[in-house]
Amino acid sequence: MLSKILVVIPTFNERLALPVTLAGLFEQQPEVDVLIVDDSSPDGTGEWADEQAGLDPRINVLHRSEKSGLGMAYIAGFEWALDRDYEIICEFDADGSHRSLDLGQLLGAAAEGRGDLIIGSRWVPGGEIVDWPKSRYFLSRGANVYVNAVVGLGVKDATAGFRAYNRAVLEALDLTDVQSQGYCFQIDMTYRTVEAGFRVAEVPIVFVERELGESKMSGSIITEAFTKVAGWGLSRRRSQLRRLLTRSN
């Protein structure tokens, strides 16, 4: 049995979607705690979350003074979780694209010790995407093919934002050094996890296109991912070459 599970949910203008997401989450996984990390949403998301936190001790809210991106929101959530001795720290979208039903699969894999980082994957057998436009489908698929070709992590869905970390992973990584956003943040954390020697496991999930609110995807996020992945790939290949040369001498 797992104990002390925290689900971190970053929000920016998710006032419509968040109530539905929390209701589904607690229906499926009533034992988890939730941390809502709100970037001063002008639509009142943070104020609504505060009201719910006053009614339900499982709900916690962390307010940030400005919108500085998904990556920094998760880092703030991770640090908050580590300060409070949570053993499993999960990433979860507020917009309904991650199914609460699938969270049980990630937690089950973590409980069985199948990996130190469990990724809810769209691209392993059994994974599925519902109602995505072709442009998003090919962008995500292509990004993961690119990551594996350049960096060679051996992870089918390195861009996935549905995850469960063992606290040992987050304790071992230098979170203050992570500055990536969006797609790139997820790849960055996967890369650091693998490089630190931790095990990554993937479980299939159904990813559903959001029905409420607007996507935060942008061209700058895509460009950042493309550029940084190229740099990580060069660094990883150099390290591999050095190890080969050391063995041969």
Side-chain angles (χ1 to χ4, degrees):
M1 294 292 293
L2 294 172
S3 60
K4 295 287 281 183
I5 302 166
L6 182 71
V7 178
V8 181
I9 305 178
T11 58
F12 183 76
N13 287 348
E14 298 288 0
R15 175 63 183 83
L16 294 177
L18 187 58
V20 179
T21 296
L22 288 182
L25 186 63
F26 287 135
E27 179 182 357
Q28 294 293 331
Q29 304 295 333
E31 77 283 4
V32 305
D33 289 344
V34 168
L35 174 66
I36 298 163
V37 184
D38 187 66
D39 282 3
S40 298
S41 297
D43 72 345
T45 301
E47 290 78 3
W48 181 87
D50 283 335
E51 293 173 4
Q52 301 309 303
L55 301 172
D56 190 336
R58 296 172 297 181
I59 300 175
N60 306 273
V61 186
L62 179 61
H63 294 278
R64 301 200 307 154
S65 60
E66 61 182 0
K67 186 177 184 295
S68 54
L70 180 73
M72 295 303 98
Y74 270 127
I75 293 298
F78 294 161
E79 292 173 341
W80 190 95
L82 293 176
D83 286 343
R84 288 158 181 80
D85 299 323
Y86 283 96
E87 297 170 15
I88 301 294
I89 299 97
C90 304
E91 296 184 14
F92 199 85
D93 283 354
D95 61 16
S97 56
H98 297 155
R99 299 193 312 170
S100 302
L101 179 65
D102 289 331
L103 180 59
Q105 294 192 76
L106 274 68
L107 297 178
E112 293 166 6
R114 288 165 54 188
D116 305 298
L117 164 59
I118 310 297
I119 294 178
S121 178
R122 299 158 291 189
W123 304 117
V124 295
E128 185 180 350
I129 293 174
V130 177
D131 293 334
W132 250 13
K134 287 185 178 180
S135 59
R136 286 290 303 277
Y137 179 93
F138 288 117
L139 174 62
S140 178
R141 192 68 172 134
N144 280 288
V145 170
Y146 173 67
V147 169
N148 273 306
V150 175
V151 187
L153 295 178
V155 176
K156 297 292 186 182
D157 201 350
T159 64
F162 194 0
R163 301 173 170 226
Y165 286 93
N166 188 301
R167 70 172 289 115
V169 177
L170 300 180
E171 285 178 323
L173 303 182
D174 182 4
L175 297 178
T176 62
D177 187 51
V178 181
Q179 300 295 325
S180 306
Q181 299 297 331
Y183 266 152
C184 196
F185 171 75
Q186 308 299 356
I187 302 167
D188 192 348
M189 290 296 293
T190 307
Y191 173 73
R192 291 169 188 264
T193 299
V194 171
E195 285 292 282
F198 290 103
R199 298 169 301 135
V200 178
E202 295 181 87
V203 298
I205 57 103
V206 176
F207 186 94
V208 183
E209 175 69 343
R210 67 182 300 153
E211 295 181 358
L212 300 170
E214 299 179 356
S215 172
K216 310 302 190 296
M217 181 61 65
S218 69
S220 62
I221 289 174
I222 297 169
T223 301
E224 178 195 31
F226 183 88
T227 304
K228 286 195 172 184
V229 166
W232 295 327
L234 287 172
S235 177
R236 187 170 171 81
R237 300 308 182 193
R238 288 195 194 101
S239 297
Q240 291 171 338
L241 179 59
R242 281 196 295 268
R243 287 194 291 268
L244 286 173
L245 292 174
T246 300
R247 292 194 195 106
S248 64
N249 290 333

